[in-house]
Amino acid sequence: MGTLALLLFLGSLALGLAALVVLVFTGLGVWRTLRYGYKDFRAWSAFFGEYAANLGAALEAMEERVRSIAAHGNEVREGVEEIMDAVEELRSHPLLRAARFVGRFRA
């Protein structure tokens, strides 16, 4: 019975040591993967940086175009409002009202 307990104890000790070795090799594999991933990222980071800069420049150009379109739209809206005010003034002018009044009786 004592030898069986000793064998179980030594077997579990060996299994724990094997698990520790597997854990170390797994950690080294993860470290190697991360290291090569970082090297790949460095190779592509300049390309992505340039792409992001071009994208930023394109967005700024589009923003400027939108501002320009909005400014032209505001100018058009102000012109339409001025035209509507002028038409309203013409419609409410006393001479035009008098002409309408006379026109109703004349017809």
Side-chain angles (χ1 to χ4, degrees), residues 9-25:
F9 174 71
L10 291 177
S12 65
L13 207 58
L15 188 60
L17 184 62
L20 187 61
V21 168
V22 168
L23 182 67
V24 167
F25 278 120

Side-chain angles (χ1 to χ4, degrees), residues 15-85:
L15 188 60
L17 184 62
L20 187 61
V21 168
V22 168
L23 182 67
V24 167
F25 278 120
T26 304
L28 288 174
V30 169
W31 180 75
R32 181 176 154 220
T33 301
L34 290 176
R35 184 175 52 139
Y36 285 127
Y38 179 69
K39 284 183 181 179
D40 288 344
F41 169 74
R42 281 193 322 195
W44 285 93
S45 67
F47 172 73
F48 287 137
E50 182 181 331
Y51 183 75
N54 290 340
L55 186 62
L59 286 175
E60 287 177 8
M62 289 176 78
E63 183 180 354
E64 184 60 35
R65 290 177 77 187
V66 167
R67 277 194 207 128
S68 173
I69 290 170
H72 288 301
N74 286 337
E75 290 175 7
V76 168
R77 182 182 48 82
E78 289 172 358
V80 168
E81 287 176 355
E82 288 178 11
I83 291 170
M84 289 174 64
D85 289 342

Side-chain angles (χ1 to χ4, degrees), residues 1-14:
M1 187 82 169
T3 57
L4 185 61
L6 181 64
L7 285 175
L8 283 175
F9 174 71
L10 291 177
S12 65
L13 207 58

